[in-house]
Amino acid sequence: EVQVVESGGGLVQPGGSLRLACAASGFTFRTSWMHWVRQAPGEGLEWVANISPGGDGEYYVDSVKGRFTISRDNAKNSVSLQMNSLRTEDTGVYYCFTDAGYWGQGTLVTVSP
Amino acid sequence: QTVVTQEPSLTVSPGGTVTLTCASSTGAVTSGHWPKWFQQKPGQPPRALIYTATNKHAWTPARFSGSLLGGKAALTLSGVQPEDEAEYYCLLHYDTAWVFGGGTKLTVL
């Protein structure tokens, strides 16, 4: 059975940091591109970042460049999103998904004073 | 800034056929944009339906099909069911980034 499970969300003040994690199982993780996507309350989906299967390629939406870092550990079938200098507009549900089509349930990040 | 445009809303009758489209501000959408389609129902995460414009995932119902049509990516639902009422998003690849469309709210009425 395929499982994709995000964790690490929570409430943080503007300027703070959070580290999201995504644990995957049931598919060939080490050959999969992995993505982070977010959804602000009541809004549409926004692609945030992705990472190549070997971890040597990382790509970001312009609004998070220099603040967010995506990484992966193929030995642990996990991908992370380190989020620094958080802003109120970063608030939303963060989802992890793979090019194979598997999505997690999401983790809520709230950036508020 | 690249913009991906979808119809904000569409209405279809049960059993009918509807086509949702996905346009790019940079020009024609091609297979090189690796178009993907997702369905999202309220309170749920998105569900992948189509990848690389026309390919279905193992769980994608047969009534969903993807294509490239008139310079756009398209998602056609044939024999629409009440449970198809949802928000639909396309996703396109641009060099080093991906961009979602704004979504189409499909009402089955």
Side-chain angles (χ1 to χ4, degrees):
Chain A
E1 179 193 5
V2 172
Q3 286 198 317
V4 177
V5 181
E6 303 93 338
S7 61
L11 175 63
V12 63
Q13 292 188 334
S17 297
L18 275 178
R19 185 177 182 87
L20 305 184
C22 172
S25 62
F27 63 97
T28 310
F29 181 86
R30 67 181 183 277
T31 63
S32 299
W33 282 81
M34 297 298 297
H35 303 255
W36 285 99
V37 168
R38 66 186 178 185
Q39 187 167 36
E43 301 294 325
L45 300 173
E46 180 181 32
W47 179 84
V48 173
N50 71 349
I51 187 165
S52 62
D56 53 341
E58 308 164 25
Y59 305 96
Y60 302 91
V61 67
D62 286 348
S63 60
V64 308
K65 284 180 182 175
R67 300 189 299 124
F68 290 12
T69 303
I70 189 172
S71 61
R72 67 189 295 158
D73 184 339
N74 284 345
K76 296 182 178 179
N77 283 8
S78 67
V79 60
S80 298
L81 187 68
Q82 177 65 42
M83 305 188 296
N84 298 330
S85 303
L86 282 162
R87 306 167 180 169
T88 56
E89 56 264 35
D90 294 318
T91 292
V93 176
Y94 283 70
Y95 297 101
C96 171
F97 85 93
T98 89
D99 272 0
Y102 306 119
W103 287 70
Q105 292 295 311
T107 187
L108 177 62
V109 172
T110 303
V111 185
S112 178
Chain B
Q1 181 175 340
T2 301
V3 177
V4 176
T5 301
Q6 300 180 241
E7 297 86 359
S9 64
L10 291 170
T11 299
V12 61
S13 300
T17 296
V18 64
T19 297
L20 290 65
T21 67
C22 175
S24 170
S25 62
T26 63
V29 176
T30 70
S31 57
H33 288 96
W34 303 341
K36 299 179 186 289
W37 288 93
F38 304 93
Q39 176 193 65
Q40 188 179 33
K41 297 182 179 180
Q44 297 183 17
R47 179 173 76 140
L49 295 173
I50 301 289
Y51 63 98
T52 323
T54 62
N55 297 287
K56 299 179 186 182
H57 291 283
W59 53 82
T60 303
R63 61 184 180 275
F64 290 85
S65 63
S67 64
L68 294 173
L69 193 65
K72 300 179 183 180
L75 176 70
T76 299
L77 288 69
S78 304
V80 171
Q81 301 297 306
E83 60 265 30
D84 297 332
E85 182 162 294
E87 193 86 20
Y88 291 84
Y89 294 93
C90 65
L91 178 62
L92 301 180
H93 179 255
Y94 295 89
D95 193 21
T96 61
W98 293 78
V99 181
F100 276 101
T104 295
K105 181 175 176 55
L106 182 66
T107 299
V108 181
L109 200 58

